[in-house]
Each structure stands twice: as C-alpha cells, then as structure tokens.
C-alpha cells in the first residue's frame, strides 16, 4: 500500500496519457478539417478538466515515493559514509575538523548516490515502456513489469539528480557546532523565560513501564508529577513566559495515557495557561506498545484515532491561544475555530470508527500545522508549532521525522508577516545529526529525513530564530551558522529509578542583531525517597 501502489500509479500515468492521446488523435483524423478542429478543442477542454486529477494523483504518488524511498535512501547513504569516515579518521579531531569532514562526506555521498541512481535507471530502462495502447486494459498482466520499470526509472533518475544537488548543498551549508559561548547579561529589551520539557511518555497505569525504559528506568508517572510541582514552585517566585512540551506527551497515544496527562496538569492552571504542546512520534505512530512488529494498515482507523486524540488534546491545552494560517489575505482563526466545523464528525469517528469517516478526516489533522502564537508586539516573540512526524504504519519506523513542503511553505509565509519579530520554531525531531558520539542506528532512524533542506530554508531569518525540539531525550545546545538549536532532555527517561533527571529553563533575549540565548537554568528532579519493588 505504501510502496507498490504509488509505484504502479506513477508508472501507469504515461501509458494512460499516451493511449488516450492516440485514441483521440485517431478519431480527429477521421473527421473533416472543421469538425476535427471542433473535436480537438472539445477534447483538449475535457482533457484539461478530466486529466488534472490524474496529474495530481501521479504527483502525489511521486512525492510519496520521494518521502519513502528517495530521501531516506539519500540520508542512509550519506550518514553511512559520514559514520564510517568519522569512525576511521576523526576520533581525535576538533569540532571544526569534524564539521569539514561531514561536509566532504556529504559531497562524496551525493556523487555516489547519483552514480547509483543512473546505474539503476540504465539497467531498468530496457523493461520500461512509455507509450500505451487502449488494448492494454484487456491484458493488464502484460503491463505490470513495464509499469514498475517506469516508476523505477523515474524515481532513480530523480534520485540521481537530487542526490547530487542535496550532497553539494549539504556540503556548502553551515554545519552544526556546539554553542560554546552564551550571552551573560540581558539587553535592555524584554527577555523571555521558556521552560522546555519534552518526552514525558505518560503511561496509563500507576506503575506502568514505558516502551524504552523497561525495568531499568523510571516507572509510572511520578517523575512528571514532581517535575510539574518543581516548575510550579519556580514559576511562583520567578514566572516563566512559556511552558513548551515538544512532543511525546504519551507513551503510545492511548486514551488512558491522555487522561493521565490531563489529570497531571490539571493541578497547575497557571502553567497550563502558558503551555504549548505538539505531537511526537509516540503520540501518533506507536501501533502497539506491547508488539513492535504489529502493522497498522494505511486505511486502518487506529492511526487516524491517535491523530484526532492528539489534535483534541492540543485544542484543549492551547486552542484559544494558537492560530492556524490561512490563505493570502484571510484572517487566521484560532485552533478551536479551525476545528469547530469538524467536531461532530470527530465525535462520531471516536464513537464508532469506520473507513468513510477516517478518509473524511484525513486532512483535518495535517492542515492545522503550523500553528502560530503570534507576537504581541511587532518586535516581540512568536512561536511556530510544527508536526515533524513522518507517516508511519509500522512500529519499527515510528521514529522517522519529515517536514512536508506545504507545511514549510506556510511556516515561511507566516514568519515573513512579522519581519521584526523573534521566533521559536518548535518541533519534535532533531534537525540533523549533531556533533556527538552516537550509534549508526540513531543517525538514520530518528532525525528529520529532510532536516538539512529545512535548515537551509530557515537561513533567511536564522538570526532571529531558535529551534527547540525533543525526541532524543538528551541535552544539546548548538548552532548552524546564525540558527540556534536547543534539544531538550527528558525528565522521565534515560536514568535508573535512583538517579536524578532534569529539564531546563531558557532565557531568550530579542536584540537588534538577532535573538540571544542566555545560559540555561538547570532544574533537577530528584528520585523518590523510596521506590516500590515489583
């Protein structure tokens, strides 16, 4: 459903179009000149109206294959080459030297992938066929191989071109580096305090174990309760402006887990009034927390139900404070206003499921992103909330990240409307591999597939932007050129029951030369005095 169907539809498109034109031209040639001209005009008009859906279908399936094969293939190849180069040559190199090696590896990976794409296209070309006939409909089994070959040629040729372009673009862009120096004093302009939490992984039972913790990590939701209590205590004496939770509020997107999350935050209305949440892969893409091998079919209502739960939770937390960008010149509705027309269908789908309602609600979730907290003043602070989760129906691929082009386009237009404002761009996934030692599986299975493309497109307003994300459960504060990047640790994951965890409160200062980042305040979450044994 995810690979073969788009490939078949893409490969069939040229056969159908050429067969249609051949049939139409034969009828036109049998007419008088005047009649042929009239028929030609009518056919062109009908073709323009009737074949535009075919073009959109081919285009949609092409980009589906791009997201499933081309970009992951390029990322896998480039990261493999980078990993091997770093393991072989850069064990004792400085960060600058590592950055240069990463740039060189990107260019080399682009050339290697380009050569591979050309080789595949050349090998498959003899099996392809680009001109169809009406009789092909009666013998469909004869066009299966040409159809798949057409798709392979198109995708591999596209890979050859884009890999070369991406490789050299990645090589010439600013490479990520640790942020070595923080600003030590706030400017006279207003500063903003941001409490950044992520990856809470709330479970639906008191002593439940989270997917990635097993028996070695914190159990239940006690860490979250103490983190919220600690933050509320700090807020009472030194208020924060924003509480950002950058995804994975729940462990598997279950209704019981969302109920536990809302029970936890209900005790802190002052924090909820400043809270922004966004979707993580555990909120959307975990098919079955007890069975990682289980599949969720693309037309299954399970995934749609997790999306609707997450959207409903976001509306409950921030529905009146965030806005959804609309077309040019249109006023931006709040999230609650944007989803109001769908509330009845959402409630019906939650009660009874069903394929028809699942298809009907397909775009409702995705069309709400980015959500925007608009700046209060022309030179104030805005927040853009993205959905960076790739479509996944399989738990082993649940962690992949991807920023769709249309979502990025809406983001850039939204930011451009406030040219003097500073921005937090909040998403779940890390943008690319950062300069820290990690295993190869972490390099290719968790970062944004198109992260380097996204960073390059952020460059025009990078100086006034901070990207804040979670997903990796670890600290990292760095930069790609003028763009500052903050990765949040998880206050509940990555430690044993008797170890402390932490989160950070960041201070952002909007200065005339861009946004500045002060040294973060580390907030420790100590373990409980006694841990029940199971």
């Amino acid at each position: 459903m995810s690979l073969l169907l788009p490939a078949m539809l893409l490969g069939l498109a040229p056969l159908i179009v050429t067969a249609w034109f051949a049939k139409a031209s034969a009828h036109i040639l049998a007419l008088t000149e005047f009649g042929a001209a009239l028929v030609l005009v009518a056919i062109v008009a009908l073709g323009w109206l009737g074949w535009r859906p075919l073009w959109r279908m081919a285009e949609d399936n092409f980009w589906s294959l791009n997201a499933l094969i081309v970009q992951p293939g390029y990322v896998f190849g480039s990261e493999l080459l980078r990993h091997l180069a770093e393991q072989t040559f850069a064990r004792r190199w400085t960060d600058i030297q590592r950055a240069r090696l990463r740039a060189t590896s990107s260019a080399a990976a682009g050339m290697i992938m380009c050569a591979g794409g050309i080789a595949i296209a050349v090998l498959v070309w003899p099996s392809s066929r680009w001109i169809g006939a009406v009789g092909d409909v009666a013998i469909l089994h004869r066009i299966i191989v040409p159809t798949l070959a057409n798709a392979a040629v198109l995708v591999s040729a596209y890979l050859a071109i884009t890999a070369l372009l991406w490789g050299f673009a990645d090589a010439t862009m600013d490479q990520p580096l640790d942020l070595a120096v923080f600003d030590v004093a706030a400017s006279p302009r207003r500063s903003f305090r941001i409490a950044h939490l992520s990856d809470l992984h709330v479970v639906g039972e008191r002593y439940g174990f989270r997917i990635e913790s097993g028996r070695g990590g914190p159990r239940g939701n006690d860490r979250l309760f103490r983190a919220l209590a600690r933050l509320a205590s700090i807020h009472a004496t030194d208020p924060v402006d924003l509480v950002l939770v950058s995804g994975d509020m729940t462990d598997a997107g279950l209704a019981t887990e969302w109920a536990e999350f809302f029970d936890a935050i209900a005790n802190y209305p002052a924090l909820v009034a400043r809270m922004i949440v966004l979707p993580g892969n555990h909120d959307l893409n975990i098919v079955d927390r007890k069975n990682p091998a289980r599949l969720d079919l693309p037309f299954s209502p399970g995934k749609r139900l997790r999306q609707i739960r997450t959207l409903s939770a976001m509306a409950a937390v921030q529905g009146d404070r965030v806005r959804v960008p609309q077309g040019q010149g249109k006023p931006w509705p709040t999230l609650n206003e944007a989803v109001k027309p769908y509330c009845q269908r959402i409630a019906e789908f939650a009660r009874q499921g069903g394929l028809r309602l699942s298809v009907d609600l397909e775009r409702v979730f995705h069309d709400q992103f980015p959500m925007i907290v608009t700046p209060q003043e022309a030179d104030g602070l805005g927040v853009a909330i993205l959905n960076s989760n790739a479509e996944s129906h399989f738990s082993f691929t649940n962690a992949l990240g991807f920023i769709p082009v249309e979502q990025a386009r809406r983001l850039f237009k939204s930011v451009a409307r406030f040219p003097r404002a500073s921005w937090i761009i909040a998403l779940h996934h890390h943008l690319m591999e950062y300069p820290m030692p990690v295993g190869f599986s972490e390099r290719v299975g968790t970062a944004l597939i198109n992260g380097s493309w996204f960073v390059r497109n952020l460059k025009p307003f990078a100086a006034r932007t901070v990207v804040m994300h979670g997903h990796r459960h670890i600290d990292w504060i760095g930069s790609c050129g003028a763009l500052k990047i903050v990765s949040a640790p998880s206050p509940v994951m990555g430690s044993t029951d008797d170890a402390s965890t932490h989160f950070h409160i960041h201070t952002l200062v909007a200065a005339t030369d861009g946004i500045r980042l002060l040294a973060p305040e580390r907030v420790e979450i100590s373990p409980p005095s006694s841990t029940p044994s199971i």
Side-chain angles (χ1 to χ4, degrees):
M1 291 296 295
S2 299
L3 290 173
L4 288 179
L5 181 60
M8 291 292 293
L9 294 174
L10 179 64
L12 273 174
L15 299 176
I16 294 174
V17 171
T18 53
W20 182 81
F21 273 112
K23 185 72 174 178
S25 61
H27 285 293
I28 292 172
L29 292 174
L31 299 173
T32 64
E33 292 182 0
F34 179 73
L38 290 178
V39 172
L40 178 62
V41 170
I43 287 178
V44 169
L46 289 173
W48 177 253
L49 296 174
W51 291 102
R52 286 177 69 184
L54 176 64
W55 170 257
R56 286 197 297 269
M57 179 182 70
E59 184 182 32
D60 289 344
N61 285 286
F62 175 80
W63 289 114
S64 175
L65 292 173
N66 176 66
L68 287 166
I69 298 176
V70 176
Q71 285 183 310
Y74 168 75
V75 170
F76 182 87
S78 61
E79 289 297 336
L80 175 61
L81 188 60
R82 284 181 176 182
H83 182 71
L84 293 175
E86 290 177 11
Q87 292 295 313
T88 305
F89 302 111
R91 292 183 179 274
R92 297 184 180 180
W93 286 12
T94 65
D95 289 345
I96 298 296
Q97 290 173 319
R98 287 176 180 271
R100 290 172 181 166
L101 178 64
R102 285 195 297 271
T104 303
S105 300
S106 296
M111 291 186 286
I112 293 172
M113 299 291 284
C114 175
I118 293 173
I120 294 172
V122 170
L123 288 173
V124 176
W125 180 264
S127 300
S128 65
R129 179 154 64 91
W130 302 96
I131 298 176
V134 176
D136 290 337
V137 177
I139 46 175
L140 288 175
H141 64 280
R142 295 187 183 179
I143 61 171
I144 292 177
V145 171
T147 295
L148 292 176
N150 290 352
V153 169
L154 290 171
V155 171
S156 57
Y158 172 71
L159 170 63
I161 297 170
T162 55
L164 196 62
L165 295 175
W166 288 341
F168 281 93
D170 289 350
T172 56
M173 68 176 285
D174 295 314
Q175 299 297 316
L177 296 171
D178 294 334
L179 189 63
V181 179
F182 293 94
D183 290 290
V184 295
S187 73
R189 302 180 67 182
R190 184 184 173 193
S191 61
F192 305 92
R193 280 169 52 81
I194 315 297
H196 189 190
L197 290 83
S198 191
D199 299 272
L200 307 178
H201 289 268
V202 171
V203 290
E205 59 274 4
R206 184 180 179 189
Y207 293 119
F209 290 98
R210 298 171 177 85
I211 290 176
E212 296 165 357
S213 293
R215 297 187 62 86
R219 66 196 69 193
N221 303 321
D222 180 71
R223 296 271 177 153
L224 172 62
F225 300 152
R226 285 183 287 117
L228 291 172
R230 184 80 176 91
L231 179 57
S233 175
I234 293 172
H235 176 68
T237 57
D238 192 3
V240 298
D241 297 288
L242 177 69
V243 179
L244 174 63
V245 185
S246 52
D248 280 358
M249 284 73 67
T250 66
D251 200 44
L254 301 176
T256 52
E257 295 171 347
W258 282 114
E260 288 282 356
F261 172 75
F262 278 102
D263 283 348
I265 65 175
N267 297 318
Y268 307 100
L271 298 182
V272 175
R274 293 161 174 80
M275 185 174 288
I276 295 292
V277 300
L278 56 92
N281 63 298
H282 278 254
D283 303 314
L284 301 179
N285 287 341
I286 299 296
V287 177
D288 186 343
R289 72 185 303 268
K290 298 180 178 64
N291 180 11
R294 181 179 167 189
L295 286 167
D296 210 2
L297 295 177
F299 47 80
S300 168
K303 184 178 183 65
R304 189 79 63 242
L305 186 58
R306 293 191 296 273
Q307 291 175 340
I308 294 304
R309 283 182 189 141
T310 303
L311 183 62
S312 301
M314 296 178 73
V317 171
Q318 63 220 32
D320 291 325
R321 292 181 286 117
V322 300
R323 296 189 175 273
V324 179
Q326 300 292 317
Q328 190 71 25
K330 294 183 180 179
W332 291 358
T334 64
L335 175 59
N336 282 343
E337 292 169 343
V339 300
K340 186 176 181 180
Y342 308 101
C343 285
Q344 184 174 350
R345 277 174 283 176
I346 288 173
E348 185 180 353
F349 178 67
R351 284 194 302 269
Q352 66 185 41
L355 178 60
R356 180 185 62 81
L357 283 170
S358 179
V359 173
D360 191 31
L361 295 172
E362 180 179 5
R363 297 301 309 172
V364 174
F365 176 78
H366 297 289
D367 286 349
Q368 310 314 314
F369 296 94
M371 301 176 191
I372 304 292
V373 180
T374 55
Q376 296 300 307
E377 302 89 20
D379 56 352
L381 179 69
V383 184
I385 301 111
L386 303 182
N387 170 35
S388 61
N389 296 279
E391 288 288 319
S392 171
H393 307 280
F394 190 32
S395 284
F396 281 137
T397 60
N398 77 83
L400 288 173
F402 182 73
I403 300 291
V405 173
E406 59 184 278
Q407 185 182 166
R409 188 178 297 119
R410 290 195 294 265
L411 168 68
F412 303 145
K413 289 181 178 179
S414 302
V415 171
R417 286 187 58 172
F418 304 91
R420 294 171 54 200
S422 300
W423 286 91
I424 294 174
I425 295 181
L427 69 162
H428 183 57
H429 292 77
H430 51 297
L431 302 181
M432 61 185 69
E433 190 52 46
Y434 301 143
M436 59 179 66
V438 295
F440 178 64
S441 61
E442 293 183 77
R443 300 179 72 121
V444 299
T446 57
L448 283 180
I449 293 171
N450 58 344
S452 57
W453 169 86
F454 186 58
V455 170
R456 291 196 299 272
N457 280 272
L458 289 175
K459 191 171 184 177
F461 44 89
R464 52 192 179 97
T465 300
V466 175
V467 173
M468 306 185 81
H469 67 82
H471 191 46
R472 288 286 292 274
H473 305 170
I474 55 176
D475 285 324
W476 189 75
I477 301 176
S479 63
C480 277
L483 181 69
K484 295 178 175 63
I485 304 170
V486 176
S487 173
S490 169
V492 303
M493 304 286 283
S495 66
T496 57
D497 289 332
D498 58 352
S500 296
T501 55
H502 66 280
F503 64 91
H504 288 136
I505 298 176
H506 299 276
T507 302
L508 310 183
V509 180
T512 54
D513 58 346
I515 196 165
R516 297 180 180 178
L517 188 61
L518 305 189
E521 175 185 346
R522 180 182 173 113
V523 181
E524 294 283 346
I525 309 299
S526 58
S529 55
S530 62
T531 302
S533 60
I534 297 178

